[in-house]
């Protein structure tokens, strides 16, 4: 009997020593996983530069009612775009910002070949146009591949359209009754007016670092109408309430932008290895 008790006691001691040895062993480390970056969104600043390709549907004047027909050709030179803004990235797919930009001087050249009671004439137009544009924009990011994120967006706001140095040189080449060609030159005072404006955006964003992103974007911008002052002759005479309206000014813009995130993403690393003793 004594030998059985001794055997049981020895076995129990062995089990206890093995349990204590196992407890003193290091806890096995978990499999390695890279740090998890949580993107919670946040505020950002932006800057943009670019150039424009602008259009106007036609030039209107109240004296157009006297014309039998009118065929216009109107063109703007390209102009620079310079903008700044502040925005908020809500999550990985939605963000919004408010931007203000200056659109530099664009030279305007136009012609109007018309017929009217008393002759056939041609008008040649010149002017300079510039704008200040303030917009509230919203964007949807469509996913990210190799750090490149395509996006679309829309914006609404206001455009201050300024028409400066407008001139209208007219020539009547076939007057009735027959006689020598007639020529005249009219001027319009500088006018700036605010209009409702809206825009549609599309582009690609490349995330260089967690806090710095570069954008290449296209924008269609509708800025409403431009306006001149009453037209007057070189001697100062004018017809009252006789401005020229630039009807429906639009622009196709190509822009290069940068964004600086003001909120750094939070990084979570695995818990440290814990050893007993």
């Amino acid at each position: 009997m004594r030998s059985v008790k001794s055997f049981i006691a020895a076995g129990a001691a062995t089990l206890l020593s093995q349990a204590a040895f196992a407890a003193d062993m290091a806890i096995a480390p978990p499999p390695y996983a890279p740090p998890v970056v949580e993107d919670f969104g946040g505020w950002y600043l932006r800057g943009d530069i670019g150039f424009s390709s602008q259009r106007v549907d036609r030039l209107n004047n109240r004296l157009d009612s006297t014309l039998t027909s009118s065929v216009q050709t109107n063109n703007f030179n390209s102009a620079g775009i310079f903008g700044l803004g502040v925005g908020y990235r809500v999550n990985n797919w939605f963000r919004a910002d408010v931007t203000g930009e200056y659109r530099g001087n664009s030279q305007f050249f136009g012609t109007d070949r018309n017929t009217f009671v008393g002759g056939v004439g041609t008008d040649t137009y010149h002017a300079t146009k510039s704008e200040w544009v303030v917009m509230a924009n919203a964007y949807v990011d469509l996913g990210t591949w190799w750090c490149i994120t395509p996006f679309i967006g829309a914006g609404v706001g206001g455009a201050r359209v300024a028409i400066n140095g407008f001139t209208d040189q007219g020539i009547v080449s076939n007057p009735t009754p027959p006689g020598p060609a007639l020529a005249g030159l009219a001027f319009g005072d500088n006018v700036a007016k605010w209009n409702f404006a809206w825009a549609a955006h599309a582009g690609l964003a490349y995330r260089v670092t967690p806090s710095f992103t570069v954008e290449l974007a296209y924008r269609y911008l509708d800025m409403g109408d431009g306006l001149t002052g009453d037209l007057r002759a070189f001697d100062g005479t004018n017809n009252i309430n006789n401005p020229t309206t630039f009807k429906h000014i639009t622009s196709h813009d190509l822009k290069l932008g940068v964004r600086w995130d003001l909120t750094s993403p939070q990084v979570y690393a695995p818990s440290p290895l814990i050893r007993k003793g």
Side-chain angles (χ1 to χ4, degrees):
M1 180 65 68
R2 183 179 181 85
S3 61
V4 173
K5 292 181 178 179
S6 298
F7 177 77
I8 293 173
T14 301
L15 291 174
L16 291 173
S17 64
Q18 289 178 349
F21 177 75
D24 287 336
M25 291 179 63
I27 299 175
Y32 173 77
V36 178
V37 179
E38 296 291 342
D39 194 351
F40 292 108
W43 294 98
Y44 62 85
L45 300 176
R46 70 173 302 133
D48 298 275
I49 59 173
F51 63 91
S52 63
S53 176
Q54 304 179 59
R55 300 287 186 273
V56 60
D57 283 357
R58 64 176 291 107
L59 269 58
N60 285 355
N61 186 280
R62 71 179 181 86
L63 297 181
D64 291 345
S65 60
T66 64
L67 302 179
T68 304
S69 65
S70 172
V71 179
Q72 291 187 4
T73 301
N74 300 311
N75 295 286
F76 288 103
N77 284 348
S78 180
I81 301 170
F82 312 92
L84 296 172
V86 60
Y88 188 80
R89 182 166 42 87
V90 178
N91 50 39
N92 287 335
W93 62 271
F94 183 77
R95 55 190 169 87
D97 55 40
V98 176
T99 58
E101 69 180 42
Y102 173 71
R103 301 168 61 87
N105 287 335
S106 176
Q107 299 297 319
F108 172 77
F109 305 91
T111 60
D112 188 359
R113 295 176 175 84
N114 50 69
T115 60
F116 53 93
V117 177
V120 177
T122 301
D123 288 278
T124 303
Y125 307 112
H126 293 88
T128 300
K129 181 179 67 64
S130 63
E131 297 90 18
W132 287 95
V133 178
V134 179
M135 301 287 290
N137 308 285
Y139 311 89
V140 175
D141 293 331
L142 304 178
T144 300
W145 297 268
W146 301 285
C147 298
I148 298 176
T149 303
F151 64 87
I152 58 175
V156 294
R160 180 183 182 272
V161 180
I163 306 295
N164 300 317
F166 180 81
T167 61
D168 175 0
Q169 183 174 7
I171 298 175
V172 179
S173 57
N174 187 20
T176 303
L182 303 176
L185 181 63
F187 303 86
D189 288 336
N190 300 342
V191 173
K193 64 186 294 282
W194 281 96
N195 302 316
F196 172 78
W198 64 271
H201 310 270
L204 300 173
Y206 179 76
R207 195 165 190 177
V208 181
T209 71
S211 59
F212 181 72
T213 302
V214 178
E215 289 184 2
L216 180 63
Y218 162 81
R219 178 180 66 183
Y220 175 82
L221 180 62
D222 188 314
M223 296 177 286
D225 299 341
L227 191 67
T228 73
D230 284 346
L231 299 189
R232 66 183 188 280
F234 67 92
D235 61 358
T237 59
N238 74 307
N239 293 316
I240 304 301
N241 193 26
N242 185 35
T244 293
T245 302
F246 286 64
K247 293 294 293 183
H248 194 204
I249 299 171
T250 59
S251 183
H252 299 276
D253 301 334
L254 185 63
K255 302 193 301 174
L256 180 65
V258 293
R259 301 200 314 260
W260 294 272
D261 287 347
L262 302 180
T263 305
S264 299
Q266 301 183 29
V267 179
Y268 290 94
S271 301
L273 182 66
I274 301 175
R275 294 179 180 271
K276 182 179 179 180

